[in-house]
Amino acid sequence: MTLTTYRKKRHFAKTPEPKGKHISQGKQLCFVVQKHAASHLHYDFRLEMEGVLKSWAVPKGPSMNPADKHLAVMVEDHPYAYRKFKGTIPKGNYGAGTVAIWDEGTYAPAAPGKNAETVLLEELKKGDLKIILHGKKLKGEFALVRMGKDEDNWLLIKKADTYQTEENILKEEIPASVLRKILMKGKKISIPHEVKPMLANLAKNPFNDPAWLYELKWDGYRALSEIHKGKIRLYSRNKQEYNIVFQEIVTALERISNDVVLDGEIVAFDKNGKSSFQFIQDYRKTPQGITLVYYVFDLLYIDGYDIRDLPLIERKTILKEILLENTLLKYSDHIENYGLQLFELAKVKNMEGIIAKKKDSKYVPTRSSEWLKIKHIQMQEAVICGFTQPSGHRKYFGALILGIYENSELRYAGHTGGGFDDDKLKEITTLLKPLTTTASPFQVTPPTNTPATWVQPKLVCQIKFSEWTRDGLMRQPIFLGLREDKKPEEVTQETLQANTKISGKKTFPKKQKIQLTNLTKIFWPRETYTKGDLIKYYERIAPVILPYLKDRPESLLRHPDGITCVGFFQKDMSQAPPWVKTIQLFSESEKKTIHWLLCNDQNTLLYMANLGCIEINPWSSRYHKKDYPDYLIIDLDPNDIPFAEVVHTAQYIKKLMDQVEIEAFIKTSGKTGLHILVPLGAKYTFHQTRQFAEILANTVSQELPHTTSVVRDPKKREKKVYIDFLQNRIGQTLAAPYSIRPVPHAPVSTPLRWDELNNTFHPTDFTIKNIFKRLDKHQDIWKGFLHHKGINMLKSLDLLMKAFRA
């Protein structure tokens, strides 16, 4: 009867679970069963005794069938208050995952006795607990029996009585709203087996159209899954069994209690979160360091109903409601209206491309023009028809000879010698040797630079290439891996959809409309702040932040999956909606013209937030005077030293600037440092501004040599405040005033009064939760900043030289 173990395992500042205490019992003892979707789905069975909850984790959940004897692992006591707990335990905490109350009620010992709890505690000690449950789902007599001398492992058994049933009580009921849709259009049938998948036609260009939705094209193995009466079958589009090969995925699917048929893609990622078709090949040999994810994008059948004739958008809505996601099982989300933008994102992430699907499309077992694939990277399956002799230091073979079926005959499609290391060369050679033959599989034998060895056309491989030549050959083909899920006779050249009327056409809603998506996606896991919270913040702060953004080109720092993912910069916004203002400027660093976004209104700001722009990064110059910044920037960045040193440095800079008649403004960086900005009135070039900033930085560093440095390399400057003046160049960006930063607690880069700097202050003190309270009290402290006429740089430089000459 102790909660010590429970409390040791939890950090209550980071988890919403109750800390709890012992509670005196009421007239009746309570029980609760909580469904816990952690790393593995299980059910927590809890009985009130001695003011706490005695607890067991039941992996397979409780059963009302006396024939079932389910393992129940006894765990630490939980506080009485835990009986009402439901919600999400954040990632990084013990038991991270979602908790729901599956059943609750009262209970009593099956054996009579004057004091129920005395009887229960005696039976608990003996390891043979017999109880009667009065719940909504669990009713009648149950037994908890300890297994031998093992203190923790018990069996949960339903005793034979009038409540017993062989039905699966864990099966989730279909929500009423979903059931109505199914009953209207679904067909009542037995579960279909070996479903033939719907395939997409190839289209040339991405497009925007409100009648379509858009998904990222995953580069993995297409996989269908059948879940029926708890049994799972995972298989390829050609009915190849995947249960053994991808056992982890099968285990993840066990958490789905409904009878369903799903369609999706198995994708492999390395430890850096990068996906590749080749990683699946590597996983099948050595899984270490590779993570699998089954992205599910369609639902074809559920609990007796064939829903393939329902519109796609309705099927996906039902799928999202019934799919219990974890690290291995994910809902493959989509966006509407913005296919062009998603295609650009696919290019940035170096993904193969996107899939466009008509919202009202039915699921048909054929290739359809209502599903289109638009590729950024050209991919093609090919049949291995032979190999050439190696030359030089190359081992095993020189190149693979590739073929594609055309009118039931193999046509030569090129050679590939790229994409192989020594291990891969050896592996492929081992597979090809038993298939060698003297006859060429082609009707017309292609020429080769070195002698060729022909093989039976049994193996299919995946090829990446740049384009098709006029002769029907793949230019610059690179070997990616073998396709064991494809049959050789199915390999044909992918051709563009000839009759599509939308390929390359841009269509937009007539009215300016922002499509906000995935508003419940968690962007800050620890605080459980969502993407919707981010958008609400920028909607409310818009009148304050927009003056600092107007007419300034934006570099979009995007975190589409929140702060736990690595963000990426996007500069070129040529595919933005037509109502978003952009300006074309030549980039010296990239040697090309770029369409820069201008955030001049609230709608554009919300559009950026919907793209995952947690942080807003404007230029320091406006586009019509791009070579003349409006302000000079000094960024004070600590390197593993107390923030008090940053405050001291800032206070010294303020004193220096007062001395040389420079009005400076200060704000928090929102992370670990401070930003000092000096208004220039767009009178000086970036070159002049950077030189002046360097003089100021060096002056401060010379006066504070033990605590500050202008050396950029953290290793060389040791533990000193870095005075960064290098931000003063064209195209360089800085987090705008009132911009959120993509770090825990969602801090805001906040303008300050100089007298606010003290040793108790920290740059993360202001967050999206308290910044508006500050604004209500102080308004925008920097309100006159953008209208400042600017300093007299020559006068200030003269005063600086006089002061230090003296």
Side-chain angles (χ1 to χ4, degrees), residues 371-634:
W371 285 17
L372 299 173
K373 49 187 171 185
I374 304 109
K375 295 185 176 183
H376 159 56
I377 299 172
Q378 295 294 322
M379 298 278 193
Q380 171 70 51
E381 294 94 29
V383 181
I384 300 175
C385 299
F387 57 91
T388 61
Q389 294 298 311
S391 59
H393 298 290
R394 181 97 170 210
K395 296 180 180 179
Y396 303 108
F397 63 83
L400 297 179
I401 303 170
L402 306 174
I404 288 173
Y405 276 96
E406 193 172 89
N407 298 324
S408 301
E409 292 183 0
L410 275 169
R411 172 178 65 78
Y412 174 59
H415 286 56
T416 179
F420 302 99
D421 56 20
D422 286 344
D423 290 339
K424 185 61 65 176
L425 288 167
K426 182 178 180 181
E427 176 193 346
I428 299 299
T429 302
T430 302
L431 294 172
L432 291 176
K433 276 187 176 180
L435 301 177
T436 57
T437 179
T438 56
S440 166
F442 299 107
Q443 290 288 336
V444 178
T445 301
T448 57
N449 293 328
T450 59
T453 300
W454 304 110
V455 299
Q456 300 171 45
K458 301 289 187 182
L459 298 180
V460 177
C461 62
Q462 185 83 357
I463 299 295
K464 177 174 72 172
F465 65 104
S466 60
E467 62 180 351
W468 289 103
T469 70
R470 292 181 179 179
D471 298 327
L473 305 181
M474 288 180 280
R475 193 186 300 279
Q476 299 173 333
I478 302 294
F479 177 89
L480 295 180
L482 294 175
R483 297 283 328 214
E484 298 175 23
D485 59 329
K486 298 289 180 71
K487 294 178 180 178
E489 57 270 22
E490 292 181 332
V491 176
T492 58
Q493 180 177 337
E494 287 193 314
T495 55
L496 289 172
Q497 176 71 8
N499 61 350
T500 176
K501 297 179 181 178
I502 54 175
S503 182
K505 180 181 178 182
K506 300 180 183 180
T507 58
F508 301 93
K510 292 181 180 179
K511 294 182 179 180
Q512 175 179 328
K513 184 179 179 182
I514 307 169
Q515 185 72 29
L516 302 178
T517 57
N518 301 322
L519 298 182
T520 59
K521 180 181 281 189
I522 299 295
F523 265 32
W524 282 268
R526 185 185 302 174
E527 299 80 10
T528 66
Y529 298 159
T530 64
K531 181 179 176 182
D533 294 325
L534 170 74
I535 291 172
K536 286 178 183 176
Y537 171 81
Y538 279 120
E539 182 177 29
R540 188 176 174 186
I541 202 72
V544 183
I545 195 175
L546 282 172
Y548 299 100
L549 310 180
K550 184 175 172 57
D551 293 338
R552 300 181 188 280
E554 295 281 343
S555 290
L556 275 64
L557 176 55
R558 298 178 58 182
H559 290 80
D561 293 316
I563 68 169
T564 57
C565 77
V566 178
F568 61 92
F569 273 102
Q570 181 178 351
K571 297 178 181 178
D572 195 341
M573 295 300 293
S574 56
Q575 306 299 336
W579 54 265
V580 172
K581 188 174 181 179
T582 59
I583 187 71
Q584 295 184 49
L585 297 174
F586 184 77
S587 170
E588 291 290 347
S589 60
E590 299 190 28
K591 305 299 181 186
K592 66 178 183 180
T593 298
I594 289 177
H595 292 71
W596 297 90
L597 181 145
L598 299 177
C599 186
N600 289 357
D601 54 58
Q602 178 177 295
N603 283 348
T604 303
L605 182 61
L606 300 187
Y607 167 73
M608 293 171 64
N610 192 58
L611 291 178
C613 295
I614 297 174
E615 183 175 303
I616 309 298
N617 293 276
W619 283 20
S620 58
S621 62
R622 288 162 289 168
Y623 75 89
H624 51 272
K625 296 192 73 172
K626 63 184 180 66
D627 296 316
Y628 292 82
D630 289 295
Y631 45 83
L632 173 151
I633 301 167
I634 292 179

Side-chain angles (χ1 to χ4, degrees), residues 23-50:
I23 303 291
S24 58
Q25 302 90 330
K27 292 182 180 180
Q28 292 181 304
L29 298 172
C30 77
F31 85 93
V32 66
V33 179
Q34 288 161 316
K35 187 175 182 179
H36 192 171
S39 55
H40 295 284
L41 179 68
H42 63 275
Y43 292 77
D44 293 314
F45 187 80
R46 311 192 195 280
L47 301 174
E48 177 193 350
M49 290 185 211
E50 299 185 296

Side-chain angles (χ1 to χ4, degrees), residues 159-432:
K159 306 296 285 185
D161 59 18
T162 57
Y163 295 106
Q164 71 184 60
T165 177
E166 294 184 4
E167 290 185 12
N168 178 15
I169 62 170
L170 299 180
K171 187 172 183 177
E172 295 292 334
E173 293 183 0
I174 304 173
S177 59
V178 172
L179 186 58
R180 281 195 296 272
K181 294 179 183 178
I182 296 172
L183 291 175
M184 287 174 62
K185 300 178 182 179
K187 300 174 184 175
K188 188 76 173 176
I189 64 168
S190 300
I191 188 168
H193 300 294
E194 298 190 347
V195 172
K196 189 175 180 181
M198 184 170 178
L199 303 176
N201 275 322
L202 184 65
K204 185 177 181 181
N205 297 314
F207 58 93
N208 287 353
D209 192 312
W212 294 68
L213 58 80
Y214 307 92
E215 301 171 347
L216 288 170
K217 188 178 190 308
W218 301 106
D219 188 12
Y221 276 14
R222 182 79 173 270
L224 293 104
S225 48
E226 298 172 13
I227 303 174
H228 183 51
K229 295 183 178 180
K231 294 183 179 179
I232 295 164
R233 185 183 174 208
L234 187 67
Y235 56 91
S236 75
R237 54 187 283 186
N238 289 319
K239 317 303 182 289
Q240 180 182 346
E241 297 290 339
Y242 282 160
N243 280 46
I244 295 176
V245 177
F246 300 123
Q247 178 60 49
E248 288 180 79
I249 303 297
V250 173
T251 302
L253 288 167
E254 289 176 354
R255 66 191 302 159
I256 299 175
S257 57
N258 302 89
D259 288 353
V260 294
V261 177
L262 307 173
D263 192 1
E265 188 101 356
I266 298 174
V267 185
F269 296 85
D270 66 6
K271 61 183 179 180
N272 297 317
K274 179 183 177 182
S275 66
S276 168
F277 177 82
Q278 182 60 53
F279 295 158
I280 293 187
Q281 305 287 308
D282 297 339
Y283 174 86
R284 299 184 71 169
K285 293 180 293 182
T286 52
Q288 289 81 8
I290 296 174
T291 301
L292 293 181
V293 177
Y294 183 28
Y295 284 100
V296 184
F297 50 71
D298 215 330
L299 175 66
L300 317 183
Y301 170 92
I302 179 168
D303 291 343
Y305 290 94
D306 183 350
I307 61 172
R308 284 174 284 187
D309 283 349
L310 266 68
L312 170 65
I313 194 70
E314 292 184 16
R315 298 198 306 272
K316 292 202 73 171
T317 300
I318 300 168
L319 171 63
K320 193 168 186 178
E321 288 199 40
I322 64 102
L323 190 68
L324 293 170
E325 294 184 288
N326 62 14
T327 55
L328 296 170
L329 190 64
K330 298 287 186 184
Y331 171 71
S332 186
D333 212 341
H334 63 269
I335 65 169
E336 300 177 29
N337 295 326
Y338 299 122
L340 292 163
Q341 289 77 10
L342 188 64
F343 187 75
E344 288 302 311
L345 176 62
K347 288 168 64 176
V348 169
K349 291 192 171 186
N350 203 33
M351 297 182 71
E352 187 179 350
I354 64 172
I355 301 289
K357 298 178 180 179
K358 288 200 76 172
K359 292 179 184 178
D360 61 356
S361 61
K362 298 179 180 180
Y363 192 96
V364 293
T366 185
R367 195 174 295 279
S368 170
S369 60
E370 294 199 333
W371 285 17
L372 299 173
K373 49 187 171 185
I374 304 109
K375 295 185 176 183
H376 159 56
I377 299 172
Q378 295 294 322
M379 298 278 193
Q380 171 70 51
E381 294 94 29
V383 181
I384 300 175
C385 299
F387 57 91
T388 61
Q389 294 298 311
S391 59
H393 298 290
R394 181 97 170 210
K395 296 180 180 179
Y396 303 108
F397 63 83
L400 297 179
I401 303 170
L402 306 174
I404 288 173
Y405 276 96
E406 193 172 89
N407 298 324
S408 301
E409 292 183 0
L410 275 169
R411 172 178 65 78
Y412 174 59
H415 286 56
T416 179
F420 302 99
D421 56 20
D422 286 344
D423 290 339
K424 185 61 65 176
L425 288 167
K426 182 178 180 181
E427 176 193 346
I428 299 299
T429 302
T430 302
L431 294 172
L432 291 176

Side-chain angles (χ1 to χ4, degrees), residues 139-158:
K139 299 177 185 293
E141 187 174 348
F142 285 78
L144 272 163
V145 182
R146 189 161 50 221
M147 298 170 64
K149 296 181 180 179
D150 195 318
E151 292 291 323
D152 295 332
N153 290 339
W154 297 58
L155 293 176
L156 178 61
I157 306 167
K158 175 73 182 82

Side-chain angles (χ1 to χ4, degrees), residues 737-749:
Y738 304 104
S739 167
I740 309 174
R741 305 303 298 274
V743 293
H745 307 299
V748 173
S749 182

